[in-house]
Amino acid sequence: GLWGYFIMPNHYELWMVVLKINICQVAALLFIRRFLNLKSHSLLIDRSLLALAAVCIIGVVSNLLGYPSVSRATADYVAMSYILLIPIGIYAHKKGVKNALLFTASWVIFIIGMTLASLRLSGHINDTPLAEWMIYAGGFIEVILLCTIMVLRIRAMKKEKLVIQKKLDSALENAQDNNKIKDQFLNVFSHELRTPINGILGASQILAFEDLTSEQTELVDIIHSSSDILLELINDLLDISSLEVGENRLILKQLDFPVLIQNLFNMFRIEARNK
């Protein structure tokens, strides 16, 4: 669009040319903002480029509504601001943006080419084949540089994707190793807990055959029922491992609800009584 601005000055007033310039400038500004990753480094510069793009959009709308003078003004205003892209590119390079220098070089060549074209068309420099060749050579070099930048950007994105994939694979492998360690711990821990609980159950069963008072018998029953509950909890730990490997199975069995409530009542009755 800007090329048409300098190459076809006599046709600049045509609404299609002005419209083309504004639309291309919107695309260029959005590309610059994205390529230099300005949102991560400078919110002020990022918002400024968005504001310039909004000005171009106003130019597009005003052109379509029949106000070409407003559209031309927006195109000229934004075009003059392109000189600021050089320090912005250098700033992005200092912030670590890859290929920012190539980007800056392409805009320097672009500005030089447009300046030469403007001077040639306005008669300030002689209209020689050399001058004309330099203008087109500048445009050609700029296009080559921008294409090179895009190729390098795509290659960098592919490398970043490979790095992220390797990190994900490593994280998955670590998670699997951690799961194995956890399963081994649960197996060992649950088996170790069974030994003292079996001792408690055995002792409570032996005590049940002794000549005990009613209160002692009640306490032995509490020990026995509490040990059974603890043993079930240990079995639940083993079921976790089975669930993770898909080897779990459901077992249907009858539940004596009044007995369950009575056991819970007995477990907490002594503690409640002590309080």
Side-chain angles (χ1 to χ4, degrees):
L2 290 175
W3 197 255
Y5 168 57
F6 290 105
I7 297 301
M8 300 181 294
N10 296 330
H11 301 282
Y12 186 66
E13 297 294 340
L14 295 175
W15 71 273
M16 180 58 74
V17 176
V18 182
L19 183 68
K20 178 179 64 176
I21 293 171
N22 279 289
I23 292 175
C24 289
Q25 287 187 147
V26 171
L29 290 167
L30 294 179
F31 166 78
I32 293 163
R33 171 178 172 264
R34 177 69 175 173
F35 179 80
L36 295 181
N37 197 19
L38 294 173
K39 190 175 182 180
S40 301
H41 303 299
S42 175
L43 197 59
L44 177 62
I45 298 176
D46 182 71
R47 295 289 172 82
S48 299
L49 290 182
L50 284 177
L52 288 175
V55 171
C56 290
I57 293 174
I58 292 173
V60 172
V61 175
S62 62
N63 201 327
L64 295 175
L65 293 177
Y67 300 97
S69 58
V70 176
S71 185
R72 177 173 181 173
T74 59
D76 289 340
Y77 172 75
V78 175
M80 288 187 294
S81 68
Y82 276 171
I83 191 68
L84 299 176
L85 294 178
I86 297 174
I88 290 175
I90 296 173
Y91 169 79
H93 170 69
K94 291 182 178 180
K95 290 296 182 179
V97 177
K98 292 182 178 180
N99 306 316
L101 286 182
L102 276 177
F103 167 86
T104 306
S106 69
W107 279 109
V108 170
I109 293 172
F110 170 80
I111 292 172
I112 292 174
M114 293 301 100
T115 303
L116 288 173
S118 179
L119 292 174
R120 172 174 166 266
L121 292 171
S122 61
H124 289 86
I125 61 175
N126 294 329
D127 189 7
T128 62
L130 179 61
E132 185 177 0
W133 179 85
M134 289 178 62
I135 293 168
Y136 287 108
F140 176 76
I141 293 172
E142 182 208 3
V143 171
I144 292 297
L145 285 176
L146 289 175
C147 290
T148 303
I149 289 171
M150 291 304 299
V151 170
L152 293 174
R153 180 64 178 269
I154 292 172
R155 290 181 63 184
M157 289 173 65
K158 288 182 178 179
K159 289 181 179 179
E160 291 173 2
K161 182 179 178 181
L162 290 175
V163 171
I164 293 173
Q165 188 62 47
K166 288 181 180 179
K167 289 182 178 179
L168 288 175
D169 293 340
S170 177
L172 180 60
E173 186 177 349
N174 291 334
Q176 291 174 346
D177 291 339
N178 291 335
N179 279 335
K180 290 179 182 178
I181 295 172
K182 183 193 69 176
D183 292 340
Q184 292 173 358
F185 170 77
L186 288 176
N187 288 328
V188 174
F189 185 69
S190 59
H191 285 298
E192 292 296 330
L193 281 178
R194 275 201 177 104
T195 302
I197 292 175
N198 287 330
I200 295 172
L201 285 171
S204 64
Q205 289 173 356
I206 293 173
L207 279 175
F209 291 105
E210 299 294 330
D211 187 13
L212 303 175
T213 63
S214 59
E215 186 176 356
Q216 290 173 335
T217 302
E218 182 182 346
L219 293 175
V220 170
D221 291 338
I222 292 173
I223 294 173
H224 190 77
S225 61
S226 299
S227 300
D228 284 336
I229 293 173
L230 187 56
L231 191 59
E232 288 182 6
L233 291 176
I234 294 172
N235 291 331
D236 289 341
L237 288 176
L238 290 175
D239 289 339
I240 292 175
S241 301
S242 300
L243 285 170
E244 291 180 347
V245 297
E247 295 179 354
N248 56 303
R249 59 191 181 91
L250 298 177
I251 300 175
L252 298 178
K253 59 181 181 180
Q254 234 175 353
L255 172 66
D256 194 337
F257 193 71
V259 172
L260 173 65
I261 296 299
Q262 186 62 46
N263 288 337
L264 291 173
F265 175 77
N266 292 335
M267 285 172 58
F268 293 101
R269 182 173 60 180
I270 297 174
E271 185 178 355
R273 185 185 299 166
N274 291 334
K275 293 181 179 181

